[in-house]
Amino acid sequence: MSGAGADAAVCSAKGCQAPARHELLWNNPKLHTPERRKVWLACEDHRQSLSDFLAARQFLRDVTPHVPA
């Protein structure tokens, strides 16, 4: 695929193709060092459910706006 939208970041929720608006920064303390951050991207519709999923496991560290590169 080519064009301006070819590399657009999309939501990490299963099956979602909406543009990412948030970055959910997380780590699993049993596997990752404290400073390591993994990133899930979230659209407006999935920000809360993805955040809740990570928070329930005590993995969520921060939620920041997604700024396209």
Short mmCIF file of all heavy atoms in Angstrom, two decimals:
data_model
loop_
_atom_site.label_atom_id
_atom_site.label_comp_id
_atom_site.label_asym_id
_atom_site.label_seq_id
_atom_site.Cartn_x
_atom_site.Cartn_y
_atom_site.Cartn_z
N MET A 1 0.85 -1.18 0.00
CA MET A 1 0.00 0.00 0.00
C MET A 1 0.88 1.23 0.00
O MET A 1 1.89 1.28 0.67
CB MET A 1 -0.91 -0.03 1.24
CG MET A 1 -1.81 1.17 1.33
SD MET A 1 -2.74 1.22 2.87
CE MET A 1 -4.16 0.29 2.41
N SER A 2 0.50 2.23 -0.71
CA SER A 2 1.26 3.47 -0.73
C SER A 2 0.33 4.64 -0.49
O SER A 2 -0.87 4.49 -0.48
CB SER A 2 1.98 3.61 -2.07
OG SER A 2 1.03 3.69 -3.11
N GLY A 3 0.93 5.79 -0.29
CA GLY A 3 0.13 6.98 -0.05
C GLY A 3 0.34 7.50 1.35
O GLY A 3 1.00 6.89 2.18
N ALA A 4 -0.29 8.63 1.66
CA ALA A 4 -0.08 9.31 2.92
C ALA A 4 -0.55 8.49 4.11
O ALA A 4 0.04 8.54 5.18
CB ALA A 4 -0.78 10.66 2.92
N GLY A 5 -1.61 7.70 3.97
CA GLY A 5 -2.14 6.97 5.09
C GLY A 5 -1.57 5.57 5.26
O GLY A 5 -1.97 4.85 6.16
N ALA A 6 -0.63 5.16 4.43
CA ALA A 6 -0.11 3.80 4.46
C ALA A 6 0.52 3.43 5.79
O ALA A 6 0.43 2.30 6.23
CB ALA A 6 0.88 3.58 3.33
N ASP A 7 1.20 4.38 6.43
CA ASP A 7 1.89 4.09 7.67
C ASP A 7 1.16 4.68 8.87
O ASP A 7 1.74 4.81 9.95
CB ASP A 7 3.32 4.63 7.61
CG ASP A 7 4.14 3.89 6.57
OD1 ASP A 7 3.96 2.67 6.41
OD2 ASP A 7 4.96 4.55 5.89
N ALA A 8 -0.10 5.07 8.71
CA ALA A 8 -0.86 5.66 9.80
C ALA A 8 -1.00 4.65 10.94
O ALA A 8 -1.28 3.49 10.72
CB ALA A 8 -2.23 6.11 9.31
N ALA A 9 -0.79 5.12 12.16
CA ALA A 9 -0.92 4.27 13.34
C ALA A 9 -2.38 4.00 13.62
O ALA A 9 -3.21 4.91 13.57
CB ALA A 9 -0.26 4.95 14.52
N VAL A 10 -2.70 2.74 13.89
CA VAL A 10 -4.08 2.35 14.18
C VAL A 10 -4.17 1.77 15.58
O VAL A 10 -3.19 1.33 16.18
CB VAL A 10 -4.64 1.35 13.15
CG1 VAL A 10 -4.68 1.96 11.76
CG2 VAL A 10 -3.84 0.07 13.14
N CYS A 11 -5.36 1.74 16.10
CA CYS A 11 -5.67 1.22 17.43
C CYS A 11 -5.21 -0.22 17.57
O CYS A 11 -5.31 -1.02 16.63
CB CYS A 11 -7.18 1.34 17.63
SG CYS A 11 -7.74 0.79 19.25
N SER A 12 -4.74 -0.57 18.77
CA SER A 12 -4.28 -1.93 19.06
C SER A 12 -5.41 -2.90 19.42
O SER A 12 -5.16 -4.10 19.55
CB SER A 12 -3.27 -1.90 20.22
OG SER A 12 -2.12 -1.17 19.87
N ALA A 13 -6.62 -2.39 19.60
CA ALA A 13 -7.75 -3.27 19.94
C ALA A 13 -7.99 -4.25 18.79
O ALA A 13 -7.91 -3.87 17.61
CB ALA A 13 -9.00 -2.46 20.22
N LYS A 14 -8.29 -5.48 19.13
CA LYS A 14 -8.49 -6.52 18.13
C LYS A 14 -9.55 -6.11 17.10
O LYS A 14 -10.66 -5.76 17.45
CB LYS A 14 -8.90 -7.82 18.81
CG LYS A 14 -8.98 -8.99 17.87
CD LYS A 14 -9.27 -10.27 18.60
CE LYS A 14 -9.31 -11.43 17.64
NZ LYS A 14 -9.54 -12.70 18.34
N GLY A 15 -9.15 -6.14 15.83
CA GLY A 15 -10.07 -5.84 14.74
C GLY A 15 -10.31 -4.37 14.47
O GLY A 15 -10.96 -4.04 13.49
N CYS A 16 -9.80 -3.49 15.31
CA CYS A 16 -10.04 -2.06 15.12
C CYS A 16 -9.03 -1.49 14.14
O CYS A 16 -7.84 -1.77 14.22
CB CYS A 16 -9.94 -1.32 16.46
SG CYS A 16 -10.38 0.43 16.34
N GLN A 17 -9.50 -0.67 13.24
CA GLN A 17 -8.63 0.00 12.27
C GLN A 17 -8.71 1.52 12.40
O GLN A 17 -8.25 2.25 11.52
CB GLN A 17 -9.01 -0.43 10.85
CG GLN A 17 -8.73 -1.90 10.56
CD GLN A 17 -7.24 -2.22 10.65
OE1 GLN A 17 -6.42 -1.59 10.01
NE2 GLN A 17 -6.90 -3.18 11.49
N ALA A 18 -9.28 1.99 13.50
CA ALA A 18 -9.42 3.43 13.72
C ALA A 18 -8.05 4.06 14.00
O ALA A 18 -7.16 3.41 14.54
CB ALA A 18 -10.36 3.70 14.89
N PRO A 19 -7.89 5.32 13.66
CA PRO A 19 -6.63 6.01 13.92
C PRO A 19 -6.33 6.08 15.42
O PRO A 19 -7.22 6.29 16.24
CB PRO A 19 -6.85 7.42 13.38
CG PRO A 19 -8.04 7.34 12.49
CD PRO A 19 -8.86 6.19 12.98
N ALA A 20 -5.07 5.90 15.76
CA ALA A 20 -4.63 5.98 17.15
C ALA A 20 -4.67 7.43 17.62
O ALA A 20 -4.25 8.34 16.90
CB ALA A 20 -3.23 5.42 17.29
N ARG A 21 -5.17 7.64 18.81
CA ARG A 21 -5.20 8.98 19.42
C ARG A 21 -4.45 9.00 20.76
O ARG A 21 -4.12 10.07 21.26
CB ARG A 21 -6.65 9.41 19.68
CG ARG A 21 -7.48 9.52 18.42
CD ARG A 21 -7.05 10.72 17.60
NE ARG A 21 -7.89 10.84 16.41
CZ ARG A 21 -7.43 10.82 15.17
NH1 ARG A 21 -6.14 10.67 14.96
NH2 ARG A 21 -8.24 10.92 14.15
N HIS A 22 -4.20 7.81 21.34
CA HIS A 22 -3.55 7.71 22.65
C HIS A 22 -2.49 6.62 22.62
O HIS A 22 -2.61 5.64 21.88
CB HIS A 22 -4.56 7.35 23.73
CG HIS A 22 -5.74 8.26 23.76
ND1 HIS A 22 -5.73 9.47 24.40
CD2 HIS A 22 -6.97 8.14 23.20
CE1 HIS A 22 -6.91 10.05 24.24
NE2 HIS A 22 -7.68 9.26 23.51
N GLU A 23 -1.47 6.79 23.46
CA GLU A 23 -0.46 5.76 23.68
C GLU A 23 -0.60 5.28 25.11
O GLU A 23 -0.56 6.08 26.04
CB GLU A 23 0.95 6.32 23.46
CG GLU A 23 1.21 6.73 22.03
CD GLU A 23 2.61 7.24 21.79
OE1 GLU A 23 3.43 7.27 22.75
OE2 GLU A 23 2.90 7.61 20.65
N LEU A 24 -0.80 3.98 25.28
CA LEU A 24 -0.89 3.38 26.60
C LEU A 24 0.47 2.76 26.89
O LEU A 24 0.88 1.81 26.22
CB LEU A 24 -1.98 2.32 26.65
CG LEU A 24 -3.42 2.83 26.70
CD1 LEU A 24 -3.79 3.64 25.50
CD2 LEU A 24 -4.37 1.69 26.90
N LEU A 25 1.18 3.33 27.84
CA LEU A 25 2.52 2.88 28.18
C LEU A 25 2.42 1.89 29.33
O LEU A 25 1.81 2.18 30.35
CB LEU A 25 3.39 4.07 28.57
CG LEU A 25 3.41 5.22 27.56
CD1 LEU A 25 4.23 6.39 28.10
CD2 LEU A 25 3.93 4.77 26.22
N TRP A 26 3.02 0.72 29.14
CA TRP A 26 2.85 -0.33 30.14
C TRP A 26 4.09 -1.20 30.21
O TRP A 26 4.96 -1.15 29.35
CB TRP A 26 1.61 -1.18 29.82
CG TRP A 26 1.71 -1.97 28.55
CD1 TRP A 26 1.48 -1.54 27.28
CD2 TRP A 26 2.07 -3.35 28.43
NE1 TRP A 26 1.66 -2.55 26.37
CE2 TRP A 26 2.02 -3.68 27.05
CE3 TRP A 26 2.42 -4.34 29.33
CZ2 TRP A 26 2.32 -4.95 26.59
CZ3 TRP A 26 2.70 -5.61 28.86
CH2 TRP A 26 2.65 -5.90 27.51
N ASN A 27 4.16 -1.99 31.27
CA ASN A 27 5.14 -3.06 31.38
C ASN A 27 4.62 -4.11 32.34
O ASN A 27 3.75 -3.86 33.16
CB ASN A 27 6.53 -2.54 31.75
CG ASN A 27 6.69 -2.18 33.20
OD1 ASN A 27 5.77 -2.28 34.01
ND2 ASN A 27 7.86 -1.71 33.56
N ASN A 28 5.14 -5.31 32.18
CA ASN A 28 4.83 -6.41 33.09
C ASN A 28 6.02 -6.52 34.03
O ASN A 28 7.10 -6.93 33.62
CB ASN A 28 4.65 -7.70 32.30
CG ASN A 28 4.34 -8.89 33.18
OD1 ASN A 28 4.59 -8.88 34.38
ND2 ASN A 28 3.80 -9.94 32.59
N PRO A 29 5.84 -6.15 35.30
CA PRO A 29 6.98 -6.13 36.22
C PRO A 29 7.62 -7.51 36.45
O PRO A 29 8.76 -7.58 36.87
CB PRO A 29 6.40 -5.56 37.52
CG PRO A 29 4.93 -5.68 37.39
CD PRO A 29 4.61 -5.70 35.93
N LYS A 30 6.91 -8.57 36.12
CA LYS A 30 7.49 -9.91 36.25
C LYS A 30 8.44 -10.22 35.10
O LYS A 30 9.27 -11.12 35.20
CB LYS A 30 6.40 -10.97 36.32
CG LYS A 30 5.58 -10.90 37.58
CD LYS A 30 4.53 -11.98 37.61
CE LYS A 30 3.69 -11.86 38.87
NZ LYS A 30 2.64 -12.88 38.91
N LEU A 31 8.30 -9.49 33.99
CA LEU A 31 9.11 -9.75 32.80
C LEU A 31 10.04 -8.61 32.41
O LEU A 31 11.08 -8.85 31.80
CB LEU A 31 8.20 -10.05 31.60
CG LEU A 31 7.23 -11.21 31.72
CD1 LEU A 31 6.34 -11.27 30.51
CD2 LEU A 31 8.00 -12.50 31.92
N HIS A 32 9.66 -7.37 32.71
CA HIS A 32 10.38 -6.20 32.22
C HIS A 32 11.04 -5.43 33.36
O HIS A 32 10.52 -5.40 34.47
CB HIS A 32 9.43 -5.26 31.47
CG HIS A 32 8.66 -5.93 30.39
ND1 HIS A 32 7.29 -5.95 30.35
CD2 HIS A 32 9.07 -6.62 29.30
CE1 HIS A 32 6.88 -6.62 29.29
NE2 HIS A 32 7.95 -7.04 28.63
N THR A 33 12.14 -4.77 33.04
CA THR A 33 12.76 -3.89 34.02
C THR A 33 11.83 -2.70 34.27
O THR A 33 11.01 -2.36 33.42
CB THR A 33 14.12 -3.39 33.49
OG1 THR A 33 13.93 -2.69 32.28
CG2 THR A 33 15.10 -4.54 33.28
N PRO A 34 11.95 -2.05 35.44
CA PRO A 34 11.02 -0.96 35.78
C PRO A 34 10.98 0.18 34.77
O PRO A 34 9.93 0.79 34.57
CB PRO A 34 11.54 -0.45 37.13
CG PRO A 34 12.26 -1.62 37.71
CD PRO A 34 12.86 -2.36 36.53
N GLU A 35 12.09 0.48 34.10
CA GLU A 35 12.10 1.60 33.15
C GLU A 35 11.59 1.23 31.76
O GLU A 35 11.29 2.11 30.96
CB GLU A 35 13.51 2.20 33.04
CG GLU A 35 14.56 1.28 32.49
CD GLU A 35 15.16 0.31 33.50
OE1 GLU A 35 14.90 0.40 34.71
OE2 GLU A 35 15.90 -0.59 33.05
N ARG A 36 11.45 -0.05 31.47
CA ARG A 36 10.98 -0.47 30.15
C ARG A 36 9.52 -0.11 29.96
O ARG A 36 8.71 -0.28 30.86
CB ARG A 36 11.15 -1.98 29.98
CG ARG A 36 10.51 -2.50 28.71
CD ARG A 36 11.45 -3.28 27.88
NE ARG A 36 10.85 -3.62 26.60
CZ ARG A 36 10.73 -4.85 26.15
NH1 ARG A 36 11.16 -5.87 26.85
NH2 ARG A 36 10.19 -5.06 24.97
N ARG A 37 9.17 0.40 28.80
CA ARG A 37 7.78 0.72 28.47
C ARG A 37 7.44 0.12 27.12
O ARG A 37 8.13 0.34 26.13
CB ARG A 37 7.55 2.23 28.41
CG ARG A 37 7.66 2.93 29.75
CD ARG A 37 6.58 2.48 30.72
NE ARG A 37 6.67 3.15 32.00
CZ ARG A 37 7.29 2.67 33.07
NH1 ARG A 37 7.91 1.51 33.01
NH2 ARG A 37 7.30 3.35 34.19
N LYS A 38 6.37 -0.64 27.11
CA LYS A 38 5.80 -1.14 25.87
C LYS A 38 4.64 -0.20 25.56
O LYS A 38 4.15 0.50 26.43
CB LYS A 38 5.33 -2.57 26.05
CG LYS A 38 6.53 -3.49 26.37
CD LYS A 38 6.18 -4.93 26.35
CE LYS A 38 5.81 -5.35 24.99
NZ LYS A 38 6.53 -6.38 24.34
N VAL A 39 4.21 -0.16 24.30
CA VAL A 39 3.18 0.80 23.90
C VAL A 39 2.06 0.09 23.16
O VAL A 39 2.31 -0.68 22.22
CB VAL A 39 3.78 1.90 22.97
CG1 VAL A 39 2.69 2.87 22.52
CG2 VAL A 39 4.91 2.63 23.67
N TRP A 40 0.85 0.33 23.61
CA TRP A 40 -0.35 -0.02 22.85
C TRP A 40 -0.93 1.30 22.38
O TRP A 40 -0.91 2.29 23.12
CB TRP A 40 -1.38 -0.72 23.72
CG TRP A 40 -1.14 -2.17 23.95
CD1 TRP A 40 -0.11 -2.94 23.50
CD2 TRP A 40 -1.96 -3.03 24.73
NE1 TRP A 40 -0.24 -4.21 23.95
CE2 TRP A 40 -1.38 -4.30 24.70
CE3 TRP A 40 -3.13 -2.85 25.45
CZ2 TRP A 40 -1.93 -5.39 25.36
CZ3 TRP A 40 -3.68 -3.92 26.11
CH2 TRP A 40 -3.09 -5.19 26.06
N LEU A 41 -1.45 1.31 21.18
CA LEU A 41 -2.13 2.49 20.65
C LEU A 41 -3.63 2.32 20.81
O LEU A 41 -4.14 1.20 20.72
CB LEU A 41 -1.77 2.68 19.19
CG LEU A 41 -0.29 2.89 18.90
CD1 LEU A 41 -0.04 2.94 17.40
CD2 LEU A 41 0.24 4.14 19.58
N ALA A 42 -4.31 3.41 21.06
CA ALA A 42 -5.77 3.33 21.27
C ALA A 42 -6.48 4.48 20.56
O ALA A 42 -6.00 5.61 20.56
CB ALA A 42 -6.10 3.37 22.75
N CYS A 43 -7.63 4.15 19.99
CA CYS A 43 -8.53 5.17 19.45
C CYS A 43 -9.38 5.69 20.61
O CYS A 43 -9.28 5.19 21.74
CB CYS A 43 -9.41 4.56 18.35
SG CYS A 43 -10.56 3.30 18.94
N GLU A 44 -10.20 6.68 20.33
CA GLU A 44 -11.08 7.22 21.38
C GLU A 44 -12.00 6.14 21.95
O GLU A 44 -12.20 6.07 23.16
CB GLU A 44 -11.91 8.39 20.84
CG GLU A 44 -11.12 9.63 20.54
CD GLU A 44 -10.46 10.25 21.77
OE1 GLU A 44 -10.97 10.09 22.90
OE2 GLU A 44 -9.41 10.90 21.59
N ASP A 45 -12.56 5.29 21.09
CA ASP A 45 -13.52 4.28 21.53
C ASP A 45 -12.91 3.19 22.41
O ASP A 45 -13.61 2.60 23.23
CB ASP A 45 -14.20 3.61 20.33
CG ASP A 45 -15.15 4.54 19.60
OD1 ASP A 45 -15.55 5.59 20.18
OD2 ASP A 45 -15.51 4.23 18.46
N HIS A 46 -11.62 2.90 22.24
CA HIS A 46 -11.00 1.80 22.97
C HIS A 46 -10.02 2.23 24.06
O HIS A 46 -9.46 1.37 24.74
CB HIS A 46 -10.30 0.85 21.99
CG HIS A 46 -11.25 0.11 21.13
ND1 HIS A 46 -11.37 0.34 19.78
CD2 HIS A 46 -12.17 -0.85 21.45
CE1 HIS A 46 -12.31 -0.46 19.29
NE2 HIS A 46 -12.82 -1.17 20.28
N ARG A 47 -9.82 3.51 24.23
CA ARG A 47 -8.86 3.96 25.24
C ARG A 47 -9.20 3.43 26.63
O ARG A 47 -8.35 2.89 27.33
CB ARG A 47 -8.75 5.48 25.30
CG ARG A 47 -7.64 5.94 26.25
CD ARG A 47 -7.65 7.42 26.50
NE ARG A 47 -8.74 7.86 27.34
CZ ARG A 47 -8.79 7.71 28.66
NH1 ARG A 47 -7.80 7.14 29.30
NH2 ARG A 47 -9.83 8.14 29.34
N GLN A 48 -10.44 3.55 27.01
CA GLN A 48 -10.83 3.14 28.36
C GLN A 48 -10.76 1.63 28.55
O GLN A 48 -10.22 1.15 29.54
CB GLN A 48 -12.23 3.65 28.71
CG GLN A 48 -12.56 3.49 30.18
CD GLN A 48 -11.62 4.29 31.07
OE1 GLN A 48 -11.45 5.49 30.89
NE2 GLN A 48 -11.00 3.63 32.04
N SER A 49 -11.26 0.86 27.59
CA SER A 49 -11.26 -0.60 27.76
C SER A 49 -9.84 -1.16 27.76
O SER A 49 -9.52 -2.06 28.55
CB SER A 49 -12.12 -1.29 26.70
OG SER A 49 -11.63 -1.03 25.40
N LEU A 50 -8.97 -0.64 26.90
CA LEU A 50 -7.58 -1.11 26.90
C LEU A 50 -6.86 -0.67 28.18
O LEU A 50 -6.10 -1.45 28.77
CB LEU A 50 -6.84 -0.59 25.67
CG LEU A 50 -7.27 -1.20 24.33
CD1 LEU A 50 -6.56 -0.48 23.17
CD2 LEU A 50 -7.00 -2.69 24.28
N SER A 51 -7.13 0.54 28.64
CA SER A 51 -6.55 1.01 29.90
C SER A 51 -7.02 0.16 31.07
O SER A 51 -6.21 -0.22 31.93
CB SER A 51 -6.93 2.48 30.17
OG SER A 51 -6.34 3.33 29.23
N ASP A 52 -8.31 -0.15 31.10
CA ASP A 52 -8.85 -0.99 32.18
C ASP A 52 -8.22 -2.37 32.19
O ASP A 52 -7.90 -2.92 33.25
CB ASP A 52 -10.37 -1.12 32.05
CG ASP A 52 -11.11 0.17 32.34
OD1 ASP A 52 -10.50 1.12 32.88
OD2 ASP A 52 -12.31 0.23 32.01
N PHE A 53 -8.02 -2.96 31.00
CA PHE A 53 -7.41 -4.28 30.88
C PHE A 53 -6.00 -4.26 31.48
O PHE A 53 -5.64 -5.13 32.27
CB PHE A 53 -7.36 -4.68 29.40
CG PHE A 53 -6.70 -6.01 29.16
CD1 PHE A 53 -7.44 -7.18 29.19
CD2 PHE A 53 -5.34 -6.09 28.88
CE1 PHE A 53 -6.83 -8.41 28.97
CE2 PHE A 53 -4.73 -7.32 28.65
CZ PHE A 53 -5.48 -8.48 28.70
N LEU A 54 -5.21 -3.26 31.11
CA LEU A 54 -3.84 -3.18 31.62
C LEU A 54 -3.81 -2.84 33.11
O LEU A 54 -3.02 -3.40 33.88
CB LEU A 54 -3.04 -2.14 30.83
CG LEU A 54 -2.74 -2.52 29.38
CD1 LEU A 54 -2.21 -1.31 28.62
CD2 LEU A 54 -1.78 -3.69 29.30
N ALA A 55 -4.69 -1.94 33.54
CA ALA A 55 -4.72 -1.54 34.95
C ALA A 55 -5.14 -2.70 35.86
O ALA A 55 -4.60 -2.85 36.96
CB ALA A 55 -5.67 -0.36 35.14
N ALA A 56 -6.05 -3.53 35.41
CA ALA A 56 -6.50 -4.68 36.20
C ALA A 56 -5.34 -5.64 36.50
O ALA A 56 -5.35 -6.34 37.51
CB ALA A 56 -7.63 -5.41 35.49
N ARG A 57 -4.34 -5.64 35.62
CA ARG A 57 -3.17 -6.50 35.79
C ARG A 57 -1.99 -5.75 36.40
O ARG A 57 -0.91 -6.28 36.53
CB ARG A 57 -2.79 -7.08 34.42
CG ARG A 57 -3.81 -8.10 33.97
CD ARG A 57 -3.90 -8.22 32.47
NE ARG A 57 -4.94 -9.18 32.12
CZ ARG A 57 -6.24 -8.91 32.09
NH1 ARG A 57 -6.69 -7.72 32.41
NH2 ARG A 57 -7.11 -9.84 31.77
N GLN A 58 -2.23 -4.50 36.75
CA GLN A 58 -1.21 -3.60 37.29
C GLN A 58 -0.04 -3.41 36.33
O GLN A 58 1.11 -3.29 36.74
CB GLN A 58 -0.74 -4.08 38.67
CG GLN A 58 -1.86 -4.11 39.67
CD GLN A 58 -1.41 -4.55 41.04
OE1 GLN A 58 -0.33 -5.09 41.23
NE2 GLN A 58 -2.27 -4.32 42.02
N PHE A 59 -0.36 -3.36 35.02
CA PHE A 59 0.65 -3.14 33.99
C PHE A 59 0.67 -1.70 33.49
O PHE A 59 1.69 -1.25 32.99
CB PHE A 59 0.38 -4.04 32.77
CG PHE A 59 0.57 -5.51 32.99
CD1 PHE A 59 0.26 -6.39 31.97
CD2 PHE A 59 1.03 -6.05 34.18
CE1 PHE A 59 0.43 -7.76 32.12
CE2 PHE A 59 1.19 -7.41 34.35
CZ PHE A 59 0.89 -8.27 33.32
N LEU A 60 -0.45 -0.99 33.59
CA LEU A 60 -0.55 0.36 33.02
C LEU A 60 0.34 1.33 33.79
O LEU A 60 0.27 1.40 35.02
CB LEU A 60 -2.00 0.85 33.04
CG LEU A 60 -2.26 2.18 32.36
CD1 LEU A 60 -1.95 2.10 30.86
CD2 LEU A 60 -3.70 2.61 32.57
N ARG A 61 1.17 2.08 33.06
CA ARG A 61 2.06 3.05 33.68
C ARG A 61 1.66 4.49 33.35
O ARG A 61 1.79 5.38 34.18
CB ARG A 61 3.51 2.82 33.24
CG ARG A 61 4.03 1.44 33.58
CD ARG A 61 4.05 1.21 35.09
NE ARG A 61 4.42 -0.16 35.40
CZ ARG A 61 3.63 -1.03 36.02
NH1 ARG A 61 2.42 -0.67 36.40
NH2 ARG A 61 4.04 -2.25 36.26
N ASP A 62 1.17 4.72 32.12
CA ASP A 62 0.81 6.09 31.73
C ASP A 62 -0.01 6.05 30.45
O ASP A 62 0.07 5.09 29.68
CB ASP A 62 2.08 6.91 31.50
CG ASP A 62 1.85 8.42 31.55
OD1 ASP A 62 0.73 8.85 31.91
OD2 ASP A 62 2.80 9.16 31.24
N VAL A 63 -0.80 7.09 30.23
CA VAL A 63 -1.54 7.28 28.97
C VAL A 63 -1.19 8.67 28.49
O VAL A 63 -1.32 9.65 29.22
CB VAL A 63 -3.06 7.15 29.18
CG1 VAL A 63 -3.80 7.41 27.87
CG2 VAL A 63 -3.41 5.78 29.74
N THR A 64 -0.70 8.74 27.24
CA THR A 64 -0.29 10.00 26.66
C THR A 64 -0.95 10.17 25.28
O THR A 64 -1.32 9.18 24.67
CB THR A 64 1.24 10.10 26.51
OG1 THR A 64 1.68 9.06 25.64
CG2 THR A 64 1.93 9.96 27.84
N PRO A 65 -1.05 11.39 24.80
CA PRO A 65 -1.57 11.58 23.44
C PRO A 65 -0.62 10.96 22.42
O PRO A 65 0.61 10.98 22.61
CB PRO A 65 -1.61 13.09 23.27
CG PRO A 65 -1.51 13.66 24.64
CD PRO A 65 -0.78 12.66 25.47
N HIS A 66 -1.17 10.40 21.37
CA HIS A 66 -0.34 9.87 20.29
C HIS A 66 -0.06 11.01 19.31
O HIS A 66 -0.98 11.68 18.84
CB HIS A 66 -1.05 8.74 19.56
CG HIS A 66 -0.32 8.28 18.34
ND1 HIS A 66 0.90 7.65 18.44
CD2 HIS A 66 -0.60 8.41 17.03
CE1 HIS A 66 1.33 7.38 17.20
NE2 HIS A 66 0.44 7.83 16.33
N VAL A 67 1.21 11.24 19.06
CA VAL A 67 1.63 12.28 18.12
C VAL A 67 2.23 11.57 16.92
O VAL A 67 3.31 10.97 17.03
CB VAL A 67 2.65 13.24 18.77
CG1 VAL A 67 3.07 14.30 17.77
CG2 VAL A 67 2.08 13.85 20.03
N PRO A 68 1.54 11.59 15.78
CA PRO A 68 2.07 10.91 14.59
C PRO A 68 3.45 11.45 14.21
O PRO A 68 3.72 12.64 14.35
CB PRO A 68 1.06 11.23 13.49
CG PRO A 68 -0.20 11.59 14.23
CD PRO A 68 0.25 12.22 15.52
N ALA A 69 4.30 10.54 13.78
CA ALA A 69 5.67 10.93 13.41
C ALA A 69 5.70 11.64 12.08
O ALA A 69 4.89 11.53 11.24
CB ALA A 69 6.56 9.70 13.34
#
